Amino acid sequence: MWDVTVIEDASAAAATLDPVRARLLAELAAGPASATMLAGRVGLPRQKVNYHLKTLERHGLVELAGERRKGNVTERLMRASAASYVISPLALAQVQPDPDRFRDHLSARWMLAVAARLVRDVGSLITGAARARKRLATYALDGEIRFASAADRAAFVEELTRGVGALIARYHDEHGEGGRAHRIVLALHPAVKPEGASPGVDAPASGGGVPGAGGGVPTPGAGAPVLDRPSTTPDGA
C-alpha cells in the first residue's frame, strides 16, 4: 500500500467523493476487511457495501488482499490501494488551473495555480514511473520560519530569489547531452493557525528539534527555522 497516490480520472475522483465510499476507503486503509466486516462498521447491508466495493475496485482504489473461508462461503478481503489520495487537476479537464494564463509572484491565487500544476505533474510522473517500474528522482523541502516584521520577510524573499537565481545560472545547461529539464517551485505563505487558536497564536512548527521529526517540540534555545531533513534518495513510484 502506498502512503499517498494520485487520482487522475474524473469518474474515480467522483467515486471517492461519495461519503459512504470515502468511509469504506478509510476503513480499508486501516487494514483488510470483507464486505460483511465493513457492513457492521458502517451500518449498511452487506449487499450495499459489496456494490460500493465493486465500484472502488473498478477504479483501482481498492484491491484484493486475500480470501478466507467462512462456513460454506469464501469471503474476499479487500484493502485500500493507498493510505490517502490526492485528486489531480487532470480530473477537472478544461477547468483545471493554469498558471500560464497569468503570472503574479505576489498573488495567492497564482500560487494556488502553481501548486495545482505541481500536483498534476508529479502525479503524472508517479503514474508513469509505476507503469515503467522505475524509480522517480524528486526532492522536496518543507519547513517553517517566523519573521519579526514584514520588512524582514521582504528581505528574505529578495535574498532567496537572488540565491536561487545564482544556483540556476551555475547549474543550468541548455545543451548538455543526456540532461533533463526539471521544474523548481518555491512558495512562501503564512502558516495556518490551529483550529480554535487565539488570535496572535502561531501554528506549531511542522518539525521538532530533531530534523525530520514531525510535530515535535523545537530544541530549547534553538533559533533556526524548523526544516525537514532533506532526502536525496529517489522516491519509489
Side-chain angles (χ1 to χ4, degrees):
M1 177 193 297
W2 299 113
D3 179 60
V4 60
T5 195
V6 64
I7 297 173
E8 298 176 324
D9 180 71
S11 57
T16 64
L17 297 177
D18 177 273
V20 173
R21 292 170 190 159
R23 171 74 187 280
L24 292 175
L25 280 175
E27 292 289 342
L28 293 175
S34 66
T36 301
M37 296 164 63
L38 291 168
R41 297 178 193 174
V42 302
L44 289 175
R46 180 180 58 82
Q47 293 82 356
K48 181 78 82 172
V49 170
N50 253 328
Y51 166 77
H52 288 301
L53 287 178
K54 287 179 180 178
T55 300
L56 293 171
E57 187 178 15
R58 186 168 64 250
H59 293 297
L61 300 171
V62 301
E63 58 194 16
L64 183 66
E67 295 179 336
R68 71 173 184 179
R69 293 284 298 177
K70 191 173 183 180
N72 295 325
V73 178
T74 300
E75 286 190 327
R76 302 175 78 224
L77 297 175
M78 307 301 293
R79 67 184 174 197
S81 59
S84 56
Y85 301 86
V86 173
I87 297 177
S88 169
L90 284 174
L92 297 174
Q94 289 88 349
V95 295
Q96 64 179 290
D98 182 3
D100 292 330
R101 289 178 187 153
F102 75 102
R103 181 175 293 269
D104 183 353
H105 295 157
L106 301 181
S107 166
R109 295 184 186 278
W110 186 71
M111 180 189 291
L112 196 61
V114 171
R117 182 178 62 188
L118 178 69
V119 170
R120 182 198 68 193
D121 290 354
V122 175
S124 296
L125 288 168
I126 289 174
T127 300
R131 288 172 180 166
R133 298 183 179 275
K134 293 183 177 180
R135 297 178 72 85
L136 181 62
T138 58
Y139 169 82
L141 182 66
D142 178 46
E144 200 171 285
I145 182 172
R146 191 177 192 278
F147 297 108
S149 66
D152 283 353
R153 180 187 182 279
F156 173 84
V157 169
E158 185 176 346
E159 288 187 41
L160 180 65
T161 303
R162 284 201 308 265
V164 172
L167 284 172
I168 291 173
R170 181 189 306 171
Y171 289 102
H172 179 69
D173 189 335
E174 189 70 35
H175 307 292
E177 187 175 350
R180 180 173 182 176
H182 286 66
R183 183 174 294 281
I184 301 171
V185 176
L186 294 173
L188 179 68
H189 62 81
V192 178
K193 289 183 172 59
E195 191 173 338
S198 302
V201 176
D202 289 335
S206 58
V210 179
V217 179
T219 303
V226 178
L227 294 175
D228 287 339
R229 175 179 295 156
S231 172
T232 56
T233 304
D235 183 26

